[in-house]
Amino acid sequence: MSDEKKFRWVGTRPIRPDGVDKVTGRAQYGADFALPDMLWGRVLRSPHAHARILSIETGAAAALEGVHAVMTGQDLPDLFAEKAAAAGGHDDSNNLAHNVMARDKALYHGHAVAAVAATSREIAERALELIDVEYEVLPHVLDIHAALAPGAPLVHPDRVAQGIENSGPSNIAKRLQIGHGDPEEGFAEADEIIEREFSTRPVHQGYIEPHACLAQTTQDGRVTLWSSSQGHFMVRDYTAKLLDIDLSLVRVIPAEIGGGFGGKTTVYLEPIAVSLSRKSGRSVKMVMSREEVFRASGPTLGTRIKIKVGVTREGVLTAGEATLHYEGGAFGGSSVGAGCMTIFAPYAFPHVRSTGYDIMVNKPKGAAYRAPGAPMAAFALETVMDELAQRLEIDPVDFRLRNAAKEGTLASFGPRYRRIGCVETLEAVRDHPHYSAPLGPNQGRGVALGFWFNAGLQSSAGVNLNPDGTVTVLSGNPDIGGSRASLAIMTAEELGIEYEHVDVMVADTHAVGYTDVTGGSRVTFATGMAIIEAVRDVMGQLCQRAAAVWEVDAERVSWHEGEARLDGGFEPAPLGLAELAKNAGKTGGPISARAALTARGVGMGFGAHICDVEVDPETGRIDVIRYTAVQDAGRAIHPSYVEGQMQGGAVQGIGWALNEEYVFDDEGRVQNPGFLDYRIPVASDVPMIDTVIVEVPNPAHPYGVRGVGEVPIVPPIPAVVNAVHAATGIRFCDLPLSPARVLARLDEARSPGSA
Amino acid sequence: MQYQAVKTLEEAVERLSRAEGEHMPLAGGTDLLAQRRAGRIDPKGVVDLKRVPELAEIVLDDHGYRVGAAVSGAELGEHPTLGQDWPGVVEAAQLIGSTQIQGRASMGGNLCNASPAADSVPALIAAGALCSLVGPSGRRELPVEEIILSPGQTCLAPGELVAHFRLPRPGPRTGDAYLRLIPRTEMDIAVVGAGVALELDADGLCTACRVGLGAVAPTPLRLDEAEAILVGRRVEGPVLDELAAAASAAARPIDDMRATAEYRVRVVGVMAKRAAQIAATRAGG
């Protein structure tokens, strides 16, 4: 894309098509749907972190007036036990099925054990109190140390670790190792080596909208679901799979989504709602309370990372080695694989090795959270990079630039990078006025670099030309971050028509082709590619229609600025979109096109953040006083929504660094299942997050798009922690940096005995 | 749940004493409704007090202020002189919740919810506020620090309610302030809080002072030692350190998920010291 094209819409900031409905409150989210015969479903959850379910007595609940159905795990088919047994106990579908509702054992406090459908929410809740569950409480394990201790209680006594030969049952679900070269050789060449250990605590994605759905079933086996998720095809496929229903019989209608951040890429309620609906013959609505969201839906759990990095006196990295332990919750399945792959990814390491362990503990099943696994890994690497720069007395950005990955660098996770914008992003940080602005007392500045792959995956699209010259676009991706706007912009740009003449609809599973979840920062990139392909098909059809009108070969007609032109000229008068659309019935029928693809050539994403903090030496409270996020977006289709992603990711990362954490008591119960004591930042907690969009186009995308949604949560933790070091001289290796912990470390540093 | 809005104190008292324990008084409802939703309380009915004139108005006369127990934080902030005379009290009340909550939440409700961490209470203790209570056996007056007995428990008799707070019109060289520590910047519960009210003479020496502490004991505390430390001295340097040490010494907090006891002991001193500095500045010191 060296020949800079002039765009009419790409890079502009029009109002998003879904904006008015959202600000006026008309947009329909998961809990906004209702049917005349609707019942309310509620879930009974385990009061124990680990317990065998001896019996469940549901008779009294079923007898309560207004109750139409009661179910337990025994009502769900047990379809995957054999497959799981053949794989050492590990099978994703089996895990999902047992997470949706416990069968023989409850594996965490809050694990679903039974459910009720009744004519009102209140009656359903009263019915839950009448269900009598007999538990045999078992000893539990709550963290990595406890899970790996000799003689630790086993979350699943029948499971053996994948990736470790000849091992017996343990709480290790999986071990994996990646890398290249020989780290020992690399460390032998190093002049400086730093080895540190880091830990992070469980955090929640913190989406504002609780999980919610409405299920309708019919006697002939059809299922309709209205559901808020990051992918209605995912909801369809998982629900059908767990309940053994043909996919063609399940239709999922996407609701608007009030935040997901990865946490809505799985199902919790839908299979239960469908089961209750089948049992009762009525439609069933389920909405989690906030407390249920915290106790039973996808956190990203605790991690421990040991890292060792070697560097020459000149500041050239020689080797990196890391051992990562990630809690995956009650079933394993943590993001440790992505942690291993991303931890050394931003730099050229001649020798590198990462070993990951996925650990099972009696906590909720972990779910994806925005760049899953990467922020914790970046915390470890970028804190050590900061310390190395300090030891070598090199500016931290210069140090990173000396080692930054570029086109041709062998990435730590395997391939060689194609064109990437890591260097350009760091240069923009170095040249930004924030980087050299003066600081006051008790203030410090930190920088950090972050990487995320971004995803391609499968996308489908439909483009229908309407007789009035407007265009309807069908996408299969719920719009989380403004994708309707970016898809409409690319459509209008291709066709050369007004942005307002394009409407993008998030179509249900029966109306558009299969599309993978809105995740991996993929929609503008991958679904955008499908839409561009379909739009170009429409443009070809338009040229053919014009050729037919002019009675010339179609090859002589081409599409420019919203009209068909013969030989690129103006004689005969070009035919515009509106005219061709109006006459489509007479020239061959309606004009529409579909496209479906697996997107290739995903653009790797890099972001670097600058953070200034002020630390109160008497209370340990940290204020973030200035923050700048820089990121390579490839090309920003709608810059406001790119900036919005950068700001949102930065704020989530700041929260993770400073105050967010699950507090578990000794019994494994979450003590802070609500936004009062689970402290995501409020607006006044953060300064305006300045943004700088770097554009190094992705050569594989027609407009150069790279994914932008996840990268910005990767740098904030180390940026904050490095800033706190600059302000206090203290390196923090354990999150979060809440006031009491910071004050304790400040006191330690001030005490006479300390170095 | 039954809802009844009463228009007179007599009606309120009659209603609350007739169905004692079953009907709860409702002011802003920002604690009551949240607790009901969480299943912690399940009253048969609520008696809405906001239409009782004495509870809903701020009156300034020769005796000082009478601030209705149900006056919202937003209304406290809008009063033409209250915020100038008692900035610490108004700021404390306005720290409660969000902008939306400020349209509802009242100091009477904040006090009677009887949380050790109630933000307005240490400021009211520092200000020397008196509570006017009305119940089946008539009216009585108590200092604010005597109302809360333990977390969630007040000294109010069955059917009794807080009608208004009485605050004096402060002299010329007086000032008050309230500070709390929260990990966030707003919409949080105090980890610790400290309110200070003091008076200075022409030379900048303290002539009177009162200090209230929050979230460091089962109830908000009055720091009795404050007077001995500050009176007759300038509010600066080692005097402030002595105040901080006294506040920390008086604290007997618990460990909970919001903070350790150790941290609370330490930081309540810092808050008291800083609040005293602000109060002294406001007093013209």
Side-chain angles (χ1 to χ4, degrees):
Chain A
M1 302 281 290
S2 54
D3 51 325
E4 265 308 296
K5 256 174 75 180
K6 282 262 178 273
F7 295 116
R8 182 173 169 205
W9 295 111
V10 168
T12 66
R13 301 165 184 255
I15 289 171
R16 61 197 288 168
D18 48 315
V20 171
D21 274 0
K22 282 178 176 163
V23 299
T24 56
R26 194 182 291 122
Q28 286 188 291
Y29 292 86
D32 290 332
F33 296 90
L35 287 168
D37 71 333
M38 189 175 87
L39 302 173
W40 285 84
R42 296 291 294 154
V43 173
L44 182 70
R45 299 184 179 277
S46 169
H48 307 294
H50 194 192
R52 199 179 312 284
I53 299 170
L54 301 177
S55 66
I56 305 181
E57 178 50 57
T58 60
L64 185 70
E65 195 180 335
V67 172
H68 286 251
V70 184
M71 67 171 288
T72 70
Q74 304 309 318
D75 292 294
L76 295 170
D78 196 7
L79 302 167
F80 316 102
E82 273 178 37
K83 221 175 120 210
H90 301 285
D91 178 75
D92 289 345
S93 298
N94 198 47
N95 290 339
L96 183 62
H98 282 254
N99 190 51
V100 162
M101 195 163 279
R103 311 288 157 100
D104 49 339
K105 275 212 310 184
L107 296 168
Y108 55 92
H109 178 246
H111 197 170
V113 296
V116 166
T119 47
S120 75
R121 201 180 158 116
E122 289 70 27
I123 293 173
E125 273 169 13
R126 228 176 302 146
L128 292 183
E129 291 169 17
L130 299 175
I131 297 175
D132 190 13
V133 186
E134 196 185 341
Y135 293 101
E136 177 195 345
V137 178
L138 301 170
H140 55 260
V141 285
L142 281 181
D143 60 37
I144 292 162
H145 278 316
L148 297 180
L154 296 178
V155 181
H156 296 278
D158 59 331
R159 295 199 184 181
V160 293
Q162 296 180 312
I164 305 177
E165 278 178 38
N166 306 319
S167 64
S170 76
N171 288 319
I172 302 172
K174 190 178 182 178
R175 176 188 181 273
L176 68 139
Q177 189 166 73
I178 61 159
H180 58 248
D182 176 6
E184 304 320 315
E185 195 184 308
F187 288 121
E189 292 162 9
D191 297 311
E192 293 281 355
I193 295 172
I194 289 180
E195 191 170 3
R196 294 271 175 270
E197 194 170 350
F198 295 84
S199 75
T200 68
R201 307 273 300 158
V203 294
H204 197 271
Q205 293 83 346
Y207 34 83
I208 301 301
E209 183 199 23
H211 298 266
C213 71
L214 170 61
Q216 185 185 49
T217 57
T218 62
Q219 282 89 339
D220 59 350
R222 288 177 188 278
V223 174
T224 307
L225 271 165
W226 290 260
S227 163
S228 166
S229 79
Q230 286 177 244
H232 36 299
F233 286 92
M234 173 277 300
V235 172
R236 180 194 69 171
D237 292 5
Y238 283 168
T239 304
K241 190 165 195 181
L242 297 196
L243 300 178
D244 201 15
I245 311 174
D246 289 350
L247 290 177
S248 62
L249 294 178
V250 183
R251 179 180 172 211
V252 183
I253 299 166
E256 287 300 330
I257 172 168
F261 313 108
K264 289 179 184 164
T265 55
T266 187
V267 292
Y268 300 98
L269 299 177
E270 287 83 356
I272 297 175
V274 170
S275 301
L276 289 171
S277 175
R278 285 171 148 190
K279 272 200 139 184
S280 64
R282 306 260 298 255
S283 59
V284 174
K285 176 168 174 162
M286 299 185 79
V287 181
M288 278 196 195
S289 67
R290 179 74 57 202
E291 186 174 330
E292 287 181 288
V293 170
F294 273 102
R295 291 200 195 285
S297 83
T300 197
L301 292 162
T303 69
R304 302 194 78 86
I305 299 176
K306 209 174 192 172
I307 187 169
K308 184 175 171 187
V309 180
V311 66
T312 66
R313 210 164 287 112
E314 293 72 36
V316 178
L317 294 169
T318 63
E321 189 172 20
T323 305
L324 303 87
H325 286 89
Y326 282 29
E327 296 170 3
F331 299 92
S334 73
S335 52
V336 71
C340 288
M341 290 169 82
T342 56
I343 188 162
F344 296 115
Y347 303 105
F349 276 95
H351 305 282
V352 66
R353 181 163 59 222
S354 309
T355 310
Y357 294 87
D358 179 20
I359 307 297
M360 295 181 286
V361 292
N362 292 112
K363 286 179 182 167
K365 186 179 195 294
Y369 181 15
R370 204 168 191 165
M376 311 80 136
F379 169 37
L381 177 70
E382 287 294 290
T383 305
V384 168
M385 289 294 284
D386 203 59
E387 195 174 347
L388 283 168
Q390 183 194 13
R391 212 179 267 187
L392 295 166
E393 295 178 349
I394 307 177
D395 172 85
V397 175
D398 282 342
F399 176 49
R400 287 172 171 85
L401 272 167
R402 281 180 208 189
N403 296 284
K406 45 179 92 67
E407 189 168 0
T409 298
L410 182 61
S412 59
F413 53 92
R416 285 194 187 277
Y417 285 114
R418 286 176 296 209
R419 185 74 176 95
I420 51 172
C422 183
V423 168
E424 288 82 351
T425 300
L426 285 168
E427 285 171 346
V429 165
R430 183 194 58 198
D431 299 340
H432 195 282
H434 180 178
Y435 191 57
S436 49
L439 287 163
N442 299 316
Q443 296 177 353
R445 175 168 301 138
V447 292
L449 177 62
F451 161 81
W452 184 247
F453 313 95
N454 302 318
L457 305 176
Q458 303 171 80
S459 285
S460 300
V463 175
N464 298 330
L465 188 54
N466 301 312
D468 63 353
T470 62
V471 177
T472 307
V473 174
L474 305 182
S475 151
N477 283 114
D479 178 358
I480 301 189
S483 60
R484 284 187 185 91
S486 64
L487 299 177
I489 284 176
M490 289 187 282
T491 303
E493 187 72 50
E494 287 288 318
L495 281 169
I497 60 173
E498 299 300 315
Y499 167 82
E500 291 76 16
H501 288 171
V502 181
D503 193 45
V504 180
M505 182 196 180
V506 182
D508 72 58
T509 53
H510 272 43
V512 67
Y514 180 83
T515 300
D516 278 316
V517 291
T518 298
S521 309
R522 61 178 288 275
V523 177
T524 300
F525 168 73
T527 304
M529 279 167 92
I531 285 170
I532 290 166
E533 194 178 309
V535 170
R536 287 180 179 175
D537 184 336
V538 162
M539 284 153 61
Q541 294 180 48
L542 287 162
C543 289
Q544 281 172 359
R545 303 296 171 93
V549 171
W550 291 326
E551 298 178 341
V552 299
D553 283 347
E555 292 79 61
R556 292 180 61 199
V557 182
S558 53
W559 193 259
H560 301 277
E561 294 166 10
E563 55 191 26
R565 292 178 190 164
L566 182 61
D567 298 327
F570 295 89
E571 202 56 49
L575 284 168
L577 181 78
E579 198 176 343
L580 288 164
K582 188 172 74 183
N583 296 318
K586 286 179 263 177
T587 59
I591 297 173
S592 72
R594 292 186 169 248
L597 49 78
T598 295
R600 309 275 179 210
V602 66
M604 307 279 160
F606 292 86
H609 293 188
I610 317 169
C611 173
D612 293 357
V613 299
E614 183 170 326
V615 181
D616 185 331
E618 291 185 307
T619 65
R621 229 183 136 273
I622 296 168
D623 265 320
V624 176
I625 53 172
R626 186 171 178 184
Y627 202 99
T628 303
V630 181
Q631 189 176 328
D632 174 22
R635 182 168 321 273
I637 301 299
H638 192 306
S640 295
Y641 300 131
V642 173
E643 291 160 1
Q645 292 292 333
M646 292 162 71
Q647 292 166 330
V651 173
Q652 281 188 314
I654 289 168
W656 196 339
L658 293 184
N659 282 306
E660 290 184 42
E661 64 173 318
Y662 273 57
V663 180
F664 288 91
D665 67 11
D666 292 343
E667 303 304 313
R669 293 176 295 227
V670 181
Q671 293 298 288
N672 55 341
F675 284 130
L676 180 60
D677 282 305
Y678 180 87
R679 292 185 177 77
I680 63 172
V682 298
S684 56
D685 288 349
V686 287
M688 180 66 193
I689 309 288
D690 289 328
T691 55
V692 177
I693 299 173
V694 173
E695 294 189 314
V696 177
N698 171 13
H701 187 275
Y703 289 99
V705 167
R706 298 178 195 273
V708 297
E710 289 162 293
V711 172
I713 200 175
V714 185
I717 296 172
V720 169
V721 169
N722 290 338
V724 172
H725 171 261
T728 63
I730 299 170
R731 293 244 172 239
F732 284 85
C733 296
D734 304 292
L735 296 187
L737 275 58
S738 50
R741 287 181 195 190
V742 173
L743 187 64
R745 290 287 302 278
L746 289 169
D747 283 348
E748 231 176 83
R750 285 185 290 232
S751 75
S754 81
Chain B
M1 190 174 73
Q2 250 185 358
Y3 167 91
Q4 193 186 13
V6 292
K7 295 213 171 64
T8 66
L9 269 175
E10 293 69 31
E11 225 184 324
V13 167
E14 193 268 335
R15 187 84 198 171
L16 288 169
S17 32
R18 176 151 52 103
E20 203 269 317
E22 295 185 343
H23 286 59
M24 294 183 72
L26 173 80
T30 58
D31 284 312
L32 190 147
L33 295 180
Q35 287 166 11
R36 181 173 180 271
R37 268 191 115 169
R40 286 204 291 274
I41 54 169
D42 187 18
K44 281 227 172 87
V46 292
V47 181
D48 190 344
L49 305 174
K50 285 191 292 297
R51 297 182 200 179
V52 179
E54 185 181 333
L55 273 83
E57 62 192 11
I58 304 173
V59 177
L60 174 60
D61 60 22
D62 294 346
H63 307 289
Y65 290 97
R66 285 202 316 269
V67 181
V71 172
S72 73
E75 289 167 308
L76 293 172
E78 284 160 7
H79 191 271
T81 58
L82 183 66
Q84 291 159 25
D85 285 342
W86 293 106
V89 170
V90 173
E91 283 164 6
Q94 295 206 314
L95 286 175
I96 300 165
S98 60
T99 302
Q100 291 87 337
I101 294 292
Q102 278 295 307
R104 308 275 309 178
S106 65
M107 293 199 297
N110 196 221
L111 176 64
C112 293
N113 186 52
S115 160
D119 281 307
S120 66
V121 179
L124 286 167
I125 290 173
L130 296 171
C131 279
S132 180
L133 310 178
V134 176
S137 37
R139 201 179 271 267
R140 59 178 176 146
E141 203 164 62
L142 285 176
V144 165
E145 56 266 37
E146 289 179 22
I147 301 293
I148 303 177
L149 301 178
S150 62
Q153 289 298 319
T154 64
C155 69
L156 269 59
E160 198 172 35
L161 56 89
V162 178
H164 68 254
F165 296 96
R166 210 147 61 75
L167 285 162
R169 190 93 205 241
R173 285 179 64 82
T174 58
D176 78 327
Y178 173 77
L179 286 179
R180 66 174 181 181
L181 186 116
I182 53 172
R184 282 193 284 228
T185 47
E186 61 177 6
M187 294 180 68
D188 213 333
I189 306 285
V191 168
V192 295
V196 176
L198 47 76
E199 186 175 33
L200 304 178
D201 68 13
D203 300 325
L205 300 178
C206 182
T207 54
C209 87
R210 291 167 63 93
V211 174
L213 306 176
V216 289
T219 69
L221 295 179
R222 180 174 170 197
L223 181 65
D224 295 321
E225 296 82 353
E227 216 164 351
I229 295 167
L230 288 177
V231 170
R233 303 167 79 185
R234 302 185 74 84
V235 184
E236 61 186 21
V239 174
L240 287 169
D241 292 335
E242 277 180 52
L243 178 67
S248 292
R252 36 177 210 283
I254 53 166
D255 283 322
D256 67 11
M257 65 179 158
R258 294 189 183 121
T260 58
E262 190 190 350
Y263 183 76
R264 286 189 160 108
V265 166
R266 179 74 184 284
V267 174
V268 76
V270 178
M271 292 297 115
K273 177 177 82 174
R274 291 181 182 177
Q277 274 172 318
I278 296 169
T281 305
R282 285 174 173 167

